[in-house]
Amino acid sequence: MKEIANCIRTMRQKHRMTQAELAQALGVQYQTVSKWETEVTVPDVGMLPRIADYFGISMDELFGRKQAGCSGEIPEDQLRFLLRTYSQMYGPEAGPWNVSVENKYLMYRFAEFFEKNFQVRETDDICNIGIGAGEWDEYLSWKLKKGTLTSIDRLEICCRQLEQRLIAEENPNKVRVIRADAGELTLEGQFDIVTMVGSTVTESGMGLTLVEKAMDFVKAGGALYYQSMDSGEDSDRVIRAAHSRGMKLGAFAADDAYGFSCR
């Protein structure tokens, strides 16, 4: 049934699971989940309650009788939100910057530095502080293998925008979005890679305090990618703070193309 197929696919994506992971959780072959979602086959009668229980939904919801999220369509309010936020990216205020060669160049330099100096291992967990428009978080999500991405921002609009985009784009990777002030946030565990790029530090007003918080998120043997666009920042202070935590400078780049001080 189409309703069941849509519901399984929607709930799996909502939980940021691959078909193989859901199959393992339910004790079936991953091809079986694929066949359910494409309506090639329907789950056995005995499997239906297990699927519903696993996702914490009712049988009515599994059969599409309740809960808009299982209809396979984006709810109307979410659709309007996505259309509005996508259009704002190219509106009068942000559009000229987002389509500019300066912005394209900076985004390329961010990614180029990451590709050259960071290797994401099989189970690495990544954290990014400062979601903004979300492009960097989406880039990082596709670097994941069996690990996770934790994206943090204090603005609700940034968090919701990233969450809805991941769902709408059917991003299969494990991404956790947290709305919080990173400077005041306490998390269980640490990360293999922590990134903070763009104007995050400048906009936060916390300066070195936020950078030090990011350093504290890095587990032993992990790495921090910190990129600054504040020409007045004292790089030596940043390096001393890192050294005090047993970290060392592994790579550095400076670029002042188009009048920006990017380090």
Side-chain angles (χ1 to χ4, degrees):
M1 294 176 63
K2 182 177 181 179
E3 292 80 5
I4 296 176
N6 287 339
C7 188
I8 293 174
R9 181 174 60 252
T10 300
M11 295 305 296
R12 175 179 61 78
Q13 293 170 351
K14 181 179 179 180
H15 286 74
R16 307 285 182 218
M17 301 180 72
T18 64
Q19 291 180 338
E21 288 171 333
L22 178 58
Q24 184 177 19
L26 296 174
V28 299
Q29 298 294 319
Y30 81 89
Q31 297 96 331
T32 302
V33 175
S34 175
K35 291 178 180 179
W36 290 344
E37 293 186 1
T38 54
E39 301 178 66
V40 175
T41 60
V42 177
D44 294 337
V45 173
M47 180 60 68
L48 292 172
R50 289 180 58 189
I51 296 173
D53 289 345
Y54 181 79
F55 288 125
I57 60 177
S58 67
M59 292 294 288
D60 279 344
E61 289 168 334
L62 182 60
F63 279 86
R65 297 179 186 135
K66 293 182 180 180
Q67 191 179 29
C70 286
S71 67
E73 302 291 337
I74 301 176
E76 187 65 27
D77 63 326
Q78 295 181 19
L79 180 60
R80 288 196 300 268
F81 173 81
L82 280 171
L83 290 173
R84 185 171 67 254
T85 53
Y86 271 119
S87 63
Q88 286 174 350
M89 291 178 63
Y90 299 99
E93 181 178 352
W97 166 251
N98 285 339
V99 300
S100 68
V101 67
E102 294 91 339
N103 181 47
K104 303 296 184 187
Y105 176 78
L106 285 174
M107 293 304 296
Y108 165 74
R109 290 291 280 130
F110 294 170
E112 179 192 40
F113 188 86
F114 188 89
E115 296 286 344
K116 188 178 297 184
N117 297 288
F118 294 83
Q119 181 177 1
V120 181
R121 297 165 298 188
E122 189 75 10
T123 59
D124 275 358
D125 294 316
I126 305 175
C127 173
N128 179 56
I129 301 174
I131 295 172
E135 279 87 353
W136 181 251
D137 298 82
E138 288 192 298
Y139 163 77
L140 290 175
S141 77
W142 291 106
K143 295 297 176 185
L144 297 176
K145 296 175 184 178
K146 295 181 180 179
T148 61
L149 170 65
T150 298
S151 298
I152 305 170
D153 202 290
R154 62 182 179 177
L155 298 179
E156 181 180 4
I157 184 69
C158 295
C159 294
R160 185 182 176 194
Q161 178 176 295
L162 177 60
E163 288 175 328
Q164 297 300 327
R165 283 170 61 173
L166 292 171
I167 293 172
E169 295 165 9
E170 300 186 2
N171 188 310
N173 301 297
K174 294 182 179 179
V175 182
R176 176 176 57 158
V177 180
I178 299 177
R179 181 196 173 193
D181 188 328
E184 302 174 357
L185 183 63
T186 299
L187 293 173
E188 293 185 4
Q190 293 173 299
F191 302 91
D192 300 285
I193 300 174
V194 176
T195 72
M196 191 159 53
V197 304
S199 56
T200 298
V201 171
T202 304
E203 292 178 358
S204 73
M206 296 180 63
L208 184 60
T209 302
L210 185 59
V211 182
E212 291 176 318
K213 185 70 173 184
M215 292 176 182
D216 292 337
F217 283 167
V218 182
K219 67 172 58 173
L224 169 70
Y225 176 16
Y226 171 54
Q227 182 275 319
S228 172
M229 295 180 68
D230 181 0
S231 59
E233 182 179 73
D234 185 348
S235 297
D236 289 338
R237 287 187 63 200
V238 175
I239 294 173
R240 285 197 299 272
H243 284 170
S244 71
R245 289 163 171 76
M247 304 173 74
K248 64 180 181 179
L249 182 63
F252 174 82
D255 196 324
D256 61 357
Y258 300 104
F260 294 101
S261 177
C262 179
R263 293 178 290 174

